[in-house]
Amino acid sequence: MRVIRVETSAATILLTEAPEPKVRDRQTGERAVDALSGEPLMTIGVVYIEDGESSLVKVTVPESGVTEGLTLGAPVSLVGLVARPWESVFNGQQRHGIAYRAAAVAPGAFPMTQAG
């Protein structure tokens, strides 16, 4: 499966949804875990702002990668952010999208602006 590294140094990333356990099966409540490590996964919501455009994005992070001190509305840093295109068929409908995953989320800072 193809993985694309996301360069975030010029972006402002703000936390919009606090970390919550990622659910694998909504009917049973089973938690999603990393396929390799077996570690429980969390999801966060962020707004990703770059070049005057913004996108609301859900990001999956391992539970151990969720740093203390996260504040809603505050900037965060997404360590090792990657995007993975996906597609599937659900109830006969073709679906596709991009899944975002980071190794860690930590309190961040607004990017430095260049004096012009």
Side-chain angles (χ1 to χ4, degrees), residues 31-55:
R31 287 216 36 204
V33 296
D34 182 271
L36 297 177
S37 70
E39 181 176 1
L41 297 172
M42 306 289 283
T43 59
I44 60 167
V46 300
V47 61
Y48 186 98
I49 307 165
E50 188 173 14
D51 296 331
E53 296 192 17
S54 65
S55 298

Side-chain angles (χ1 to χ4, degrees), residues 1-4 6 22 57-60 81-87 96-102:
M1 189 179 295
R2 187 175 57 179
V3 173
I4 304 160
V6 179
K22 183 170 183 167
V57 178
K58 291 268 193 187
V59 180
T60 299
L81 181 63
V82 295
R84 179 177 288 143
W86 62 269
E87 58 181 57
H96 57 88
I98 300 172
Y100 293 92
R101 176 112 179 225

